[in-house]
Amino acid sequence: MEILAFGVQADERPLIEKAFAPHHDIRCLDVFLNEDTAPIAAGYEIISTSVNASLNNRVLQTLAAGGTQMIAQRSTGFNNIDLQVAERLGLTVARVSYYSPYSVAEFAWTLATAVNRRIVRAANRTRDFDFRLNGLMGRDLRGRTVGVLGTGKIGEAFTRIAHGFGMNLLGWDVAENPACVALGMKYVAKEQLLAESDVISLHVPLLPATHHLIDASALRTMKDDAILVNSSRGGLIDTDALVSELRAGRFTGVGLDVYEAEAGLFFLDKSLEAVEDDTLARLVTFPNVVVTSHQAYYTVDAVGQIIDTTVQNVLDYQAGRRSENVLVPAAPPS
């Protein structure tokens, strides 16, 4: 059987081909799955998708009509998939429920330290042989307060690094993580965390209840010199409200690896095209903002785990097995 994989990055392709080789042929495409590309999947029983795929009603209808029966998503998040439609169509949908939390946690701290110590600005200057220090002063992290919104596996890994820095730890989540409590984390209301934290990092899933978790009111609650980091999902932050606060001169720095309107932008080369997204165009102009293109997970360790789990999801589907990765079970035989 040949499997079709959408949205495969150049670095991922040899890893995917090697992992699938003992089991199945796989055709890797660099295009993302959406309404325009869905017809390509005709005749493929199993397809694999990336986090930036669009699996809405029309795409799923096209896939089902073309004979697709199983979707193996190469990510933990699945807010891009209409699961109710998939179930109605009898499609099996699986995801990767776990991969290295350190990849994202370490990258979140990379963003935080980059904006704190003005690394991007400094590197750009030295490239032009400008070695002045004006405007590059940062702050020690030791003794300052970090607020972690979401203390699951990634939030815990982020907290362990913060503990290593010698920071005061505040947390917010629906349930306390005993490992974070053991590190000295104090769980508080979201408003208190925002008001008292010098560094705030988001590690919660994007759900209807968390959409724009950081809205205009939340942003106004934060310290003027706070650092805000989002390496989870773009929709957690009201970007227009964030731009308004940045225009008012607030915040020491903002590090974003995700953006709420990133679909159709991130993972693609848009350097020769006019930028139609005015909010993003404004956002990247602020000297205290660093935007990266959803790469926090992108380590050989994490990607390897994602691919291995995707292979196992396919094998489980073929064997009629279900695991914690299955979001929509296979339809019963007719």
Side-chain angles (χ1 to χ4, degrees):
M1 177 186 295
E2 185 177 54
I3 296 167
L4 181 63
F6 286 92
V8 177
Q9 303 297 313
D11 295 333
E12 291 179 292
R13 182 166 185 159
L15 300 176
I16 290 177
E17 291 176 340
K18 180 179 179 180
F20 271 96
H23 312 286
H24 297 290
D25 294 330
I26 187 161
R27 179 187 175 194
C28 295
L29 304 178
D30 59 1
V31 298
F32 296 102
L33 177 62
N34 53 41
E35 292 182 15
D36 294 328
T37 60
I40 302 173
Y44 288 91
E45 178 182 345
I46 302 173
I47 68 166
S48 178
T49 58
S50 64
V51 68
N52 267 15
S54 173
L55 289 126
N56 58 25
N57 180 34
R58 294 184 64 178
V59 170
L60 292 171
Q61 292 276 5
T62 300
L63 293 176
T68 296
Q69 298 180 38
M70 195 264 182
I71 299 166
Q73 175 133 305
R74 304 187 307 278
S75 72
T76 298
F78 53 90
N79 55 287
N80 60 320
I81 308 173
D82 192 326
L83 297 180
Q84 291 184 333
V85 172
E87 185 171 16
R88 187 174 73 244
L89 294 172
L91 297 170
T92 296
V93 181
R95 60 153 178 169
V96 177
S97 59
Y98 175 85
Y99 62 86
S100 168
Y102 309 106
S103 59
V104 179
E106 291 171 5
F107 193 84
W109 272 115
T110 299
L111 288 174
T113 53
V115 296
N116 177 38
R117 301 307 298 270
R118 314 291 197 265
I119 298 298
V120 174
R121 185 187 301 180
N124 288 337
R125 281 187 186 178
T126 55
R127 185 171 295 150
D128 293 330
F129 295 94
D130 179 353
F131 301 103
R132 293 172 299 165
L133 297 182
N134 296 341
L136 301 183
M137 185 175 289
R139 297 179 294 176
D140 288 3
L141 294 173
R142 183 174 180 82
R144 286 190 161 81
T145 299
V146 62
V148 186
L149 292 161
T151 56
K153 292 183 176 67
I154 296 174
E156 178 187 331
F158 182 89
T159 300
R160 290 188 182 279
I161 298 171
H163 182 262
F165 278 130
M167 303 186 74
N168 304 313
L169 310 174
L170 295 181
W172 176 86
D173 208 327
V174 293
E176 295 185 3
N177 183 334
C180 292
V181 173
L183 292 170
M185 174 171 280
K186 178 183 177 182
Y187 280 84
V188 297
K190 183 183 74 170
E191 292 72 19
Q192 181 180 346
L193 181 149
L194 296 175
E196 297 181 4
S197 297
D198 300 294
V199 178
I200 297 166
S201 190
L202 310 182
H203 300 287
V204 298
L206 180 60
L207 304 168
T210 60
H211 181 255
H212 284 182
L213 181 70
I214 304 299
D215 57 12
S217 176
L219 291 165
R220 287 193 296 268
T221 303
M222 293 166 55
K223 294 181 178 181
D224 287 344
D225 61 353
I227 292 172
L228 175 64
V229 175
N230 187 11
S231 57
S232 185
R233 289 292 182 267
L236 298 175
I237 296 178
D238 182 339
T239 315
D240 288 328
L242 175 61
V243 168
S244 294
E245 296 300 313
L246 288 165
R247 290 182 63 185
R250 300 190 65 223
F251 308 136
T252 288
V254 175
L256 303 175
D257 186 51
V258 287
Y259 173 60
E260 60 180 326
E262 69 182 54
L265 290 172
F266 283 19
F267 305 149
L268 300 173
D269 182 2
K270 297 290 185 177
S271 60
L272 299 179
E273 302 178 22
V275 178
E276 298 180 359
D277 189 322
D278 292 337
T279 301
L280 179 60
R282 186 73 181 94
L283 188 64
V284 298
T285 64
F286 292 104
N288 57 336
V289 174
V290 172
V291 178
T292 52
S293 54
H294 207 140
Q295 70 181 80
Y297 78 99
Y298 206 55
T299 67
V300 65
D301 310 272
V303 172
Q305 290 175 328
I306 289 169
I307 293 170
D308 288 344
T309 301
T310 301
V311 172
Q312 189 60 52
N313 286 342
V314 169
L315 297 178
D316 286 346
Y317 159 78
Q318 292 181 308
R321 297 187 295 262
R322 290 188 58 190
S323 72
E324 62 178 353
N325 298 321
V326 177
L327 297 170
V328 178
S334 56

